Amino acid sequence: MTDSGAFLEHLSAVLAGIEAEGLTKRERAIEGPQGGWVAMEGRRMLNLCANNYLGLADDPRLIAAARAAMESHGFGMASVRFICGTGDLHLALEARLAGFLGTQDAILFAACFDANGAVFEPLLGAEDAVVSDSLNHASIIDGIRLSKARRFRYANGDMADLEAQLKAARDGGARFVMVATDGVFSMDGTFAPLAEIRALADRYGALLMVDDCHATGFVGPQGRGTPARAGVRADILTGTLGKALGGALGGYIAGPQPVIDLLRQRARPYLFSNALPPMVVAAGLAAMDIVEAADDLRAQLAANAAYWRAGLEGLGSACCPANTPSCR
Ligand SMILES: *Cc1c(COP(=O)(O)O)cnc(C)c1O
């Protein structure tokens, strides 16, 4: 029989260990909307740490779209997509994302964490292999764990190591090989060298999956992301509505028709989790309207990032050398 007292004591000891290492995460409440300036602890504070790249998190156009959709489509779907949770707005946003990203189709998830958790298991089997950058987002790591594919890991951005791992995957007799990488690494804010990765993937007959959460909407021509910036094709893209595209929640996978069709049949976080609420999807459509014409916002973001990088370096604070607004 489990002794719940001993169990809770064990958890308290783990927490004390986290505290002793100085790793306890403490949450501070923002009193009002997310933004460049926020109200916190009764003060007005400058906020440099949200993923609100284009400032859309409190944009009146997104709020109006969400409000209108709540009036026209109600509050929630109370269903997974394939039973009775698919609305006209969901289909419109999927088509819109695919058009923006230049893929045949796209499929929405509750979050990009779910999209990354969903993408590998239905597409790859035990005969296949995934080659993953060591700095990839936790959700990619978890998604790969959920698939039966053999796993190979290469040191962050290290193309010699990527080639060695691709070779190992091929020597191991893999049927299909997929390289998985963040487009911009959420850990450091640096770009993945996508042109080199694509070239190596092609040389070894591998597919390329790019998670563009920290790029879609503001990196590359018209904000179409890191593959567009590098001038290469990703076979599969994942991304989020929770950062530049309004900052609420929602994720997606974009790719060729058979990929998206099979994910609709087999992706477990899609099949067994509720559809996004209409207001969030409608605001996503409004965000796409803005993002597609947002060269001014992208220029402002680049200028802001350059301003803060120069200022912090002037104060002797080491910024990462990467020229991304995600620089940590
Ligand atoms: C933020 C992030 C995610 C998770 O996205 P959510 O939609 O918040 O679940 C996944 N991958 C990367 C690289 C991210 O930065």
Side-chain angles (χ1 to χ4, degrees):
M1 197 173 20
T2 303
D3 176 343
S4 79
F7 175 62
L8 297 180
E9 264 175 46
H10 161 70
L11 299 190
S12 297
V14 172
L15 284 165
I18 294 171
E19 179 72 39
E21 287 180 77
L23 295 177
T24 303
K25 297 180 251 312
R26 296 186 210 285
E27 298 178 14
R28 288 193 282 194
I30 292 175
E31 299 136 10
Q34 183 65 276
W37 292 92
V38 292
M40 186 177 277
E41 294 159 14
R43 287 194 294 173
R44 187 168 176 265
M45 310 264 258
L46 182 63
N47 178 14
L48 296 179
C49 45
N51 301 308
N52 185 19
Y53 291 105
L54 300 175
L56 300 185
D58 65 343
D59 189 286
R61 294 164 288 182
L62 269 63
I63 295 168
R67 187 176 284 138
M70 201 140 48
E71 296 297 340
S72 62
H73 286 69
F75 179 68
M77 294 309 296
S79 172
V80 299
R81 288 285 302 274
F82 82 92
I83 297 182
C84 54
T86 293
D88 50 353
L89 295 172
H90 296 87
L91 298 176
L93 182 55
E94 287 171 341
R96 193 70 185 271
L97 286 165
F100 180 69
L101 298 166
T103 62
Q104 285 183 332
D105 203 356
I107 175 173
L108 289 169
F109 288 82
C112 190
F113 202 103
D114 284 335
N116 287 337
V119 70
F120 300 102
E121 189 261 340
L123 301 180
L124 301 172
E127 316 89 317
D128 304 317
V130 186
V131 182
S132 175
D133 189 287
S134 63
L135 226 55
N136 276 344
H137 192 266
S139 54
I140 297 180
I141 296 168
D142 287 8
I144 293 171
R145 279 193 193 130
L146 290 170
S147 86
K148 293 196 170 64
R150 284 192 67 193
R151 303 195 277 267
F152 297 84
R153 201 170 74 133
Y154 63 98
N156 176 235
D158 182 334
M159 295 299 96
D161 197 17
L162 170 59
E163 178 155 24
Q165 301 308 319
L166 281 165
K167 224 169 179 324
R170 280 291 169 222
D171 290 348
R175 176 183 56 173
F176 301 121
V177 179
M178 186 181 291
V179 178
T181 183
D182 287 12
V184 172
F185 290 96
S186 65
M187 301 273 277
D188 285 354
T190 52
F191 284 113
L194 284 190
E196 290 90 333
I197 292 173
R198 179 78 259 181
L200 280 171
D202 288 347
R203 190 173 313 152
Y204 288 86
L207 300 153
L208 173 59
M209 174 272 191
V210 175
D211 173 347
D212 240 0
C213 278
H214 281 284
T216 303
F218 59 97
V219 165
Q222 295 94 47
R224 289 172 208 273
T226 55
R229 173 181 176 271
V232 301
R233 178 182 54 82
D235 296 286
I236 298 176
L237 274 167
T238 66
T240 184
L241 305 179
K243 288 176 176 134
L245 306 182
L249 82 169
Y252 57 84
I253 300 169
Q257 201 63 57
V259 166
I260 306 304
D261 288 350
L262 184 58
L263 290 170
R264 278 193 213 281
Q265 300 304 316
R266 293 268 172 84
R268 294 168 68 82
Y270 182 82
L271 293 173
F272 301 110
S273 188
N274 206 33
L276 282 170
M279 58 183 164
V280 165
V281 181
L285 284 162
M288 294 309 296
D289 286 341
I290 296 170
V291 162
E292 289 189 355
D295 283 345
D296 54 338
L297 293 179
R298 285 183 280 271
Q300 177 75 56
L301 173 65
N304 288 353
Y307 172 86
W308 282 100
R309 185 172 296 113
L312 289 169
E313 280 165 4
L315 292 171
S317 168
C319 268
C320 78
N323 188 25
T324 76
S326 313
C327 188
R328 301 297 180 208

